[in-house]
Amino acid sequence: MFRTNITAMQGYVPGEQPQGMEYVKLNTNENPYPCSPTVKAAIGRVLQVGLQRYPDPLATAFRERAAALLKDEVPGITPDWIMCGNGSDDILTIVTRSFVAPGGLIRFPRPSYVLYNTLAAIQGADSETVEFESDWTLDERFTATDERLQLAFLPNPNSPTGTVIAPSGVAHLAAALPCPLIVDEAYADFAETNCLGLVATNERILVTRTLSKSYSLAGLRFGFVVAQPQVIEQLNKVKDSYNCDSLSIAGATAAIDDQAHFVRTRDAILATRQRMTSALRGLGFDCIDSQANFVWCRHGQRDSRELYQQLKDAGVLVRYMNYAGWGEGLRISVGSDEQCDLLLAKLAAIV
Amino acid sequence: MFRTNITAMQGYVPGEQPQGMEYVKLNTNENPYPCSPTVKAAIGRVLQVGLQRYPDPLATAFRERAAALLKDEVPGITPDWIMCGNGSDDILTIVTRSFVAPGGLIRFPRPSYVLYNTLAAIQGADSETVEFESDWTLDERFTATDERLQLAFLPNPNSPTGTVIAPSGVAHLAAALPCPLIVDEAYADFAETNCLGLVATNERILVTRTLSKSYSLAGLRFGFVVAQPQVIEQLNKVKDSYNCDSLSIAGATAAIDDQAHFVRTRDAILATRQRMTSALRGLGFDCIDSQANFVWCRHGQRDSRELYQQLKDAGVLVRYMNYAGWGEGLRISVGSDEQCDLLLAKLAAIV
């Protein structure tokens, strides 16, 4: 009844989303601060008009505002350079279906976002991972020719490490790759650099973004991809006609229009990240310097899985991750200062 | 760069969704009445809590209420018999990816929902259409064995005709088919029968529903599929993790909880449908008796495309459809009584 690749695969297991339970929730990189109040106002206006009509299939209002916002970063950008999605997960699914045939190959770094493996399995394609170098760059194995290779994903900043490959390095990888490169910039708003500027230079570079993290809208499901217009035109064929709802289009548009709120909450997270990293190191953790809204760490003496469980028992949820053959650790989201203090107090009592 | 099936295909063109223009909009089967006021209240409560957290990946609140609501129609139903989607388009995409490999074959009736053809093309599969009999049933050509056949779609009520195959007939088709049968019940709330009861009898029958039409929530994007739990378990692997947002889950749950509102607006539409059908016949149209919230009609003397354009020029938007080799006509959504009166007045002036 089902395709054999579907029955054979494991489903992707997202981070725990306990419903109605009280945790200090630092496991899925949600933003601790509320979204801009203009989001609620914009959604309220849609509710006044009503929901009985279909949304704009192309989310034009958002694309117009986003193109205006990004015009200094992407030379020549117009709304036709943008496609919106039901979260950036939707975008990642659409690009997989657009570029990858069953039997094809998708390449991505290890450790990185586990979902890429799931996307390959659903499509009936194979995955190939390339380990990061010790300085968190990728060598020529990432760009090696393979006749089955149809797509490469590069999360940048990467999860779970929070590390970044500079735009010049990404441009080099894209130029050497024989296939499109999706630069997954879910966390780029927390980083010092991003790759939006590369899109105009190479039609095979696509940059994806989400409003889940930096705009505090994980519950709304809204993401987008920036690519050259002839690429967007093909991707639009593959998306569901009405993949973004009326409320999310209005809310997302309002969110990017309030840059003051965005900058304020982002800067708060960056400051807390710095403090949290130092404090974790003081507690005996090895931490990588992060350019995302989370910190990847391992304790010098203590087992990561046990620490995860002890923290959970103490009411603090973090993400335990184990990459077979590579290693394990804790990915801890940067919460509010209060959440950070509570985490550190619990950890101090445990370790 | 792109798969050849993607570059070769035409994208699906949804019905016109003019943004910010004033039309009597009878072209995409939207409900003319507002959704239940409880929907806005439920969405308002989510906005109060905030949107920074991810939604429940499995939309449990909705599935629990839906299972309770459907328990008399589906013997043994529990929440595990239900998967929710970002509109029923999302569900149709998920079942296609679950059952159909590239090079496979999808069968559906003609004329019916044009999107099925698009779903096949995106998947790199072929489409095969089987024409309805003169009484709008399907003969053994619909169930014929073909080693490439992996999925059959049956819109029931059908679009654009508004006709229904009785559950006994659908059970017969499903039993004879060598593949799963998706009964697309987007319009079933306007019909005298439905096929939910068949799900418990045959694991290869899946019934899809949407809240877009009968619950006035096209702008919210929410649909679901009812199937046996071992089938839902596999489908859950293929959906995006967070395919329904927090606002739509809350709104959809509130909508199905207000059955009084649902019955009131549905009954109003059924009464208007009856009056509109009679009046169209009085104006010289051939109309099929409809069990959906639209009427399919052709005028005895006048060209359908010209009528569509004349109505549009007069501010009334209907759907002109042309199925190559089968025929053309107008699919007119059942609006409010005021919209119906305006349509009929304009038509009376034109024909």
Side-chain angles (χ1 to χ4, degrees), chain A residues 212-235:
Chain A
S212 294
K213 276 83 177 181
S214 53
Y215 287 92
S216 308
L217 291 174
L220 192 66
R221 316 308 302 126
F222 202 90
F224 62 99
V225 57
V226 181
Q228 292 187 18
Q230 71 279 13
V231 175
I232 296 292
E233 185 181 8
Q234 297 295 324
L235 296 177

Side-chain angles (χ1 to χ4, degrees), chain B residues 125-279:
Chain B
D126 289 324
S127 297
E128 180 184 281
T129 60
V130 174
E131 289 207 13
F132 282 103
E133 298 296 285
S134 58
D135 63 353
W136 302 105
T137 60
L138 291 162
D139 70 9
E140 66 280 3
R141 287 173 300 163
F142 191 76
T143 57
T145 300
D146 183 312
E147 63 181 17
R148 291 199 304 134
L149 184 64
Q150 296 176 325
L151 184 60
F153 284 114
L154 179 68
N156 203 41
N158 185 48
S159 169
T161 57
T163 53
V164 165
I165 297 179
S168 58
V170 174
H172 177 78
L173 294 174
L177 270 167
C179 68
L181 175 65
I182 310 300
V183 187
D184 179 346
E185 291 199 346
Y187 302 103
D189 284 325
F190 304 105
E192 292 161 11
T193 59
N194 69 65
C195 292
L196 281 173
L198 300 180
V199 171
T201 70
N202 185 340
E203 71 166 1
R204 295 195 300 180
I205 298 178
L206 293 77
V207 174
T208 64
R209 291 287 178 100
T210 176
L211 274 66
S212 294
K213 276 81 178 183
S214 54
Y215 287 92
S216 308
L217 291 172
L220 192 66
R221 315 308 302 128
F222 201 90
F224 63 99
V225 57
V226 181
Q228 292 187 18
Q230 71 279 12
V231 176
I232 295 293
E233 186 181 5
Q234 297 295 324
L235 296 178
N236 275 331
K237 293 182 188 175
V238 178
K239 79 176 188 70
D240 284 345
S241 304
Y242 303 108
N243 61 331
C244 297
D245 68 81
S246 300
L247 302 176
S248 71
I249 295 170
T253 306
I256 63 169
D257 264 344
D258 189 351
Q259 287 294 303
H261 180 92
F262 163 76
V263 169
R264 202 158 51 235
T265 52
R266 182 196 59 191
D267 289 353
I269 289 166
L270 298 188
T272 307
R273 181 179 76 193
Q274 178 60 41
R275 188 167 71 84
M276 182 170 126
T277 304
S278 301

